[in-house]
Amino acid sequence: MSIVLYRDSQVRVMENTVTNAEKYFGQFCSLLAAYTRRTARLRDKADQLVKQLTDFANTENPELRATVRSFAEDLAKVQDYRQAEVERLETKVVSPLKLYGAHIKQTRAEIKKFKQVQKNEIKQLEKLEKLRQKSPLDRQMIAETSVQRASADASRTTHQLEEMIDTFQKQKLKDLQKIFSDFVTIEMVFHAKAVEVYSSAFQILESYDLERDLERTQTTIRSQRRDEEEEEESTEHSAEEDPVEDLRGQGQAPQQ
């Protein structure tokens, strides 16, 4: 019965390995899917910011308008890179984790098959033990033959299970390495490109000539003020001249 206990121990090890993989890979899948959705939402909010900046630029002086438009264009480029980031995360990270469930299901089916063989072996051993106690010799020989056959099946399946444990564990580690290597690579590529564009956006803002823009604004204000004063003077002058003409008209005697 010691070999049976050994095989039973192997089954428990395999079941624990599969259960842990199912648990943690499932959690990785949920978290990384949420991470990808949040990244997509961040892209959408940034697109809204780009639109608001463009609308704002259209209301400003040429100097600020050009600066804000260029800044908004750089932000839009970052969102293009973020869109590529989202698509790659979906393809190379989230999808493989979703598909991992099928691999685990198949492995569980193999474990179930082995457990059936193991149960059959235990059943044959128990039957032999009973026959030894109260059955004739010929029946014991038949039972022993059944036990030998069951043991041979169990030995073969035990070897297969050992290989399956090794294969499953190796594949799990390779998959884990590949998925998270892809995740890090995708993030590095995005952030490297984003830093490059953000550097350009920073330079655009730094090169903006605030004093020149203020001077332009002040010139516009002074020009408007002069126009208003001239218009006001013109109105006052016209108002002063009209009564004189009226009085002159009133002072003349009507011709007969």
Side-chain angles (χ1 to χ4, degrees):
M1 294 290 290
S2 59
I3 187 64
V4 175
L5 294 175
Y6 170 70
R7 291 165 188 163
D8 188 54
S9 175
Q10 280 188 310
V11 170
R12 286 198 300 271
V13 169
M14 187 63 191
E15 286 181 325
N16 289 337
T17 301
V18 173
T19 299
N20 285 338
E22 185 175 35
K23 174 184 175 182
Y24 289 104
F25 274 68
Q27 291 175 347
F28 293 150
C29 184
S30 297
L31 289 171
L32 287 167
Y35 180 97
T36 304
R37 288 193 299 271
R38 282 179 176 270
T39 303
R41 286 198 292 270
L42 179 59
R43 173 208 59 206
D44 293 341
K45 290 298 181 184
D47 284 341
Q48 292 177 16
L49 175 59
V50 169
K51 184 179 183 305
Q52 288 296 315
L53 285 167
T54 303
D55 291 345
F56 168 72
N58 293 333
T59 67
E60 290 297 320
N61 293 327
E63 193 79 21
L64 182 59
R65 184 186 310 142
T67 297
V68 174
R69 280 180 177 175
S70 297
F71 176 66
E73 287 172 3
D74 276 350
L75 288 186
K77 287 180 185 177
V78 174
Q79 305 327 306
D80 291 338
Y81 293 138
R82 205 185 300 276
Q83 172 63 25
E85 176 195 15
V86 169
E87 292 174 358
R88 289 168 183 161
L89 286 172
E90 281 286 353
T91 302
K92 294 193 171 185
V93 177
V94 177
S95 292
L97 285 170
K98 286 180 179 177
L99 294 174
Y100 211 79
H103 181 45
I104 290 175
K105 184 177 180 180
Q106 181 182 358
T107 305
R108 284 195 182 281
E110 292 295 326
I111 295 174
K112 185 177 180 181
K113 187 189 301 182
F114 174 79
K115 289 175 75 172
Q116 287 298 118
V117 174
Q118 186 185 49
K119 285 180 181 178
N120 182 53
E121 180 187 23
I122 294 172
K123 183 178 179 181
Q124 295 296 332
L125 289 171
E126 290 175 346
K127 184 187 295 185
L128 175 61
E129 190 63 28
K130 291 179 181 178
L131 288 171
R132 280 174 176 168
Q133 295 175 5
K134 58 181 180 180
S135 297
L137 183 60
D138 57 341
R139 296 187 63 182
Q140 287 188 32
M141 291 176 62
I142 296 172
E144 287 176 356
T145 302
S146 299
V147 169
Q148 289 173 1
R149 190 184 308 117
S151 295
D153 291 342
S155 296
R156 184 179 63 256
T157 312
T158 298
H159 180 67
Q160 293 173 350
L161 181 63
E162 289 174 349
E163 290 183 343
M164 188 168 61
I165 292 173
D166 291 341
T167 302
F168 181 85
Q169 187 68 4
K170 183 178 180 180
Q171 189 63 47
K172 183 187 75 173
L173 297 177
K174 285 178 64 177
D175 290 341
L176 191 70
Q177 182 185 38
K178 177 71 166 58
I179 289 168
F180 280 99
S181 292
D182 285 341
F183 171 76
V184 171
T185 300
I186 291 165
E187 291 299 293
M188 285 195 302
V189 169
F190 165 73
H191 284 92
K193 290 181 178 293
V195 166
E196 182 180 347
V197 178
Y198 279 137
S199 297
S200 170
F202 180 81
Q203 292 300 321
I204 288 170
L205 295 174
E206 283 291 294
S207 62
Y208 168 61
D209 192 342
L210 186 145
E211 295 298 331
R212 182 178 176 182
D213 210 340
L214 284 175
E215 183 179 344
R216 185 190 296 273
T217 302
Q218 291 168 355
T219 300
T220 302
I221 292 173
R222 285 195 294 268
S223 177
Q224 289 179 345
R225 185 184 300 164
R226 282 197 303 269
D227 291 344
E228 290 173 358
E229 289 175 352
E230 289 175 0
E231 184 178 352
E232 186 176 346
E233 288 177 1
S234 175
T235 302
E236 290 177 355
H237 182 68
S238 299
E240 289 175 356
E241 289 182 351
D242 288 345
V244 173
E245 294 296 328
D246 292 344
L247 288 173
R248 287 175 182 174
Q250 292 176 6
Q252 294 179 353
Q255 296 181 359
Q256 296 183 353

